[in-house]
Amino acid sequence: MTSSIDHCLKAFEIISLNKGRLKVTVIFHWLLFLMMLLRLTPDLCAMVKTEVPVIIESLSLPPPSLWELSWLPSIMASMFAQLSLKRNTSSLLWQALLGNLVLSIGPVLYGLSEQYPIVREHLRDGKDSEISLSFLFRIATCCWLTVSLQVHVLQMYFIQQLLSAWSIAKRKIKSS
């Protein structure tokens, strides 16, 4: 009997720890989402036929890539994760896990495969005197993609840990 209680307490400890960690990754996902919205502001303003803020217009940002537009719906995966934490429902966590895999990891890997070779080629050629605004933008994009990949992989890991702990806790409660 004591062993069963210890296992339940351990499972609940793991659940509590991973819920906190998942909340942190959700916050970082929202920050990445806001950064992407800021980067896409000129095109979003053009879509709704609104004037682009002067500060953003002066940056002369390149048009959005396919991966940038396909990454935007990935915020829904974080919404599912956030909702599942409040309701303790594993079905929402499964949706968050699949949403992260399809809507987050896929576009980020595509973006890395698109941006990284260009940056590597530029750095390998040693064109130090030719650092332009577009090259700096590509460097910033690679940094954003790297952080984004880490956030999404960690989010998927914490979701998997929560699903595992919830299933253990349910089994232990049913068996007692």
Side-chain angles (χ1 to χ4, degrees), residues 68-133:
E68 292 170 320
L69 296 172
S70 62
W71 180 86
L72 281 179
S74 72
I75 199 66
M76 290 187 308
S78 281
M79 288 179 185
F80 287 141
Q82 204 168 6
L83 283 173
S84 74
L85 293 179
K86 292 179 183 177
R87 299 179 184 171
N88 288 332
T89 54
S90 59
S91 62
L92 284 173
L93 264 188
W94 277 107
Q95 290 174 355
L97 185 67
L98 292 174
N100 250 325
L101 186 63
V102 174
L103 299 172
S104 302
I105 300 290
V108 167
L109 289 177
Y110 179 77
L112 279 170
S113 69
E114 182 182 273
Q115 297 291 324
Y116 181 72
I118 297 168
V119 170
R120 187 184 68 213
E121 184 70 29
H122 191 281
L123 292 174
R124 191 173 20 172
D125 289 347
K127 300 177 182 176
D128 294 332
S129 61
E130 296 180 25
I131 294 180
S132 64
L133 186 60

Side-chain angles (χ1 to χ4, degrees), residues 25-35 75 78-79 82:
T25 60
V26 167
I27 290 169
F28 275 108
H29 192 170
W30 276 102
L31 290 173
L32 290 166
F33 180 75
L34 291 174
M35 291 170 69
I75 199 66
S78 281
M79 288 179 185
Q82 204 168 6

Side-chain angles (χ1 to χ4, degrees), residues 3-173:
S3 174
S4 176
I5 292 172
D6 289 341
H7 285 297
C8 283
L9 290 175
K10 182 69 173 166
F12 289 124
E13 184 180 310
I14 291 170
I15 289 169
S16 175
L17 181 66
N18 284 310
K19 273 186 169 186
R21 290 175 175 171
L22 185 57
K23 286 178 187 177
V24 170
T25 60
V26 167
I27 290 169
F28 275 108
H29 192 170
W30 276 102
L31 290 173
L32 290 166
F33 180 75
L34 291 174
M35 291 170 69
M36 183 58 75
L37 277 182
L38 182 64
R39 185 259 177 273
L40 296 175
T41 298
D43 298 292
L44 295 175
C45 287
M47 284 182 198
V48 293
K49 296 177 177 50
T50 325
E51 192 171 318
V52 180
V54 178
I55 295 172
I56 295 176
E57 193 173 20
S58 66
L59 293 175
S60 301
L61 296 172
S65 298
L66 178 63
W67 69 266
E68 292 170 320
L69 296 172
S70 62
W71 180 86
L72 281 179
S74 72
I75 199 66
M76 290 187 308
S78 281
M79 288 179 185
F80 287 141
Q82 204 168 6
L83 283 173
S84 74
L85 293 179
K86 292 179 183 177
R87 299 179 184 171
N88 288 332
T89 54
S90 59
S91 62
L92 284 173
L93 264 188
W94 277 107
Q95 290 174 355
L97 185 67
L98 292 174
N100 250 325
L101 186 63
V102 174
L103 299 172
S104 302
I105 300 290
V108 167
L109 289 177
Y110 179 77
L112 279 170
S113 69
E114 182 182 273
Q115 297 291 324
Y116 181 72
I118 297 168
V119 170
R120 187 184 68 213
E121 184 70 29
H122 191 281
L123 292 174
R124 191 173 20 172
D125 289 347
K127 300 177 182 176
D128 294 332
S129 61
E130 296 180 25
I131 294 180
S132 64
L133 186 60
S134 66
F135 177 69
L136 294 176
F137 179 76
R138 286 190 190 278
I139 293 283
T141 302
C142 282
C143 291
W144 185 93
L145 285 165
T146 304
V147 170
S148 180
L149 183 64
Q150 291 172 353
V151 167
H152 295 310
V153 167
L154 285 172
Q155 197 171 36
M156 289 176 60
Y157 175 74
F158 297 140
I159 288 172
Q160 185 59 42
Q161 292 296 310
L162 268 175
L163 287 170
S164 174
W166 279 349
S167 69
I168 290 171
K170 284 180 184 177
R171 274 187 275 150
K172 292 296 178 184
I173 289 172

